[in-house]
Amino acid sequence: MSAHLALAVCNCMWFWADASVAQMHLVTVADSFDLRQIPMMSSASYQGYSVRVLGLGKAPTKYENEDSIWGRRLGWKLISFHSFIVDLPDDDVVLFLDAFDVLLVDPPTVLLAKFRDMQRTTGKQLFIAAEDNPGYGFRASEFPKIKGSKWQWINSGAMIGLASAWRKLFSNHSLPATLPSKYTSDQDWMIDVYLNSSEVGGLAGLDSSCNLFQVTCKVSAITSHDSCNSPDGEVILEDGHIVNTVTGTRPSVLHLVGAGHWAFPRANLRGLFARPRFESCHYYEVARVLMPRVFEDLENTRVWSGKPFAAICTNDSLIWHVFYTNFLLFVIVYAPWIILGTISTGVCLMCRKKMNKIDRLMD
């Protein structure tokens, strides 16, 4: 107990010693406001963070005859982030998160204390989230094996570091709005910088213990997408905290990648009855469990027609979902009874007509 108490006191002293001279910044990047940001922004406010959204209205309008801002066109995301950190004081801490599939589950003091502790014990000044899937496989075989952890590949959707460390990471690297053809996304650029610079001269490290960041597509016991292959029981919810049962840690940031934020399949009509909110997604359902009052109030707000999850999880028009779900409910629930009632009424009328005819003949 005394060791834990000493660590807690040390962390508090470190935090308060830095508080007067350094600030913590939470930033994300988006070209425009998107409904999919609501769970992330809500979790940040719920935990006591202020969020700075970079890049609003600043994404390039043309990308080599392509309309998408994703893939190689995500160079503008790196440019937006670099522009933000370039003039910050060296000791300021900058937390970068993806905008559409991340939830914060601890307050800033807890996350910062963890960062300071890892900074002291490892000598690193910047930490990047780690995942157990190499994704598209960009330079996957070049990552060093990490003993005792399956989380060993970079996921650039959650990162934290000193402003001075961020500037060093970006130094001597050009940042074109459209990345070179060897990259499929900004994450490949980050992997290249990390590996080519021998972990940026010892400056950066992977959070392979999932102490800060948890990357997964499933939190067990909460409705998830059928395409998520993460093992049950690996990441769980316990007393309002996310727990990694493999590493024994309680991550402060949850990044729900891939199927973790995909909308539940529309074609699967059994989902209309099997899931509490048809056309929802795991990202929304986890946020709803972590912040029940926030999302119940959201669903009860008239403008959402009870269905914020449909617009958030699919990014489609809310009007479409109100029509679509009500139409399905009519077809599946009410229509059969209407048809059955119509047939029954018709049969009864025919029988009555026949009985009347028999009665007349008998008379």
Side-chain angles (χ1 to χ4, degrees), residues 40-49 51 104:
M40 190 279 278
M41 300 289 277
S42 297
S43 71
S45 179
Y46 189 80
Q47 294 295 345
Y49 294 84
V51 186
L104 291 124

Side-chain angles (χ1 to χ4, degrees), residues 32-78:
S32 61
F33 179 76
D34 190 299
L35 296 177
R36 291 171 292 181
Q37 296 172 28
I38 289 176
M40 190 279 278
M41 300 289 277
S42 297
S43 71
S45 179
Y46 189 80
Q47 294 295 345
Y49 294 84
S50 295
V51 186
R52 178 76 175 268
V53 182
L54 309 176
L56 287 173
K58 296 180 180 179
T61 55
K62 293 184 180 179
Y63 317 84
E64 298 179 355
N65 299 319
E66 296 185 38
D67 294 329
S68 173
I69 64 167
W70 305 107
R72 289 174 52 217
R73 273 70 63 192
L74 282 170
W76 72 273
K77 174 180 172 183
L78 296 171

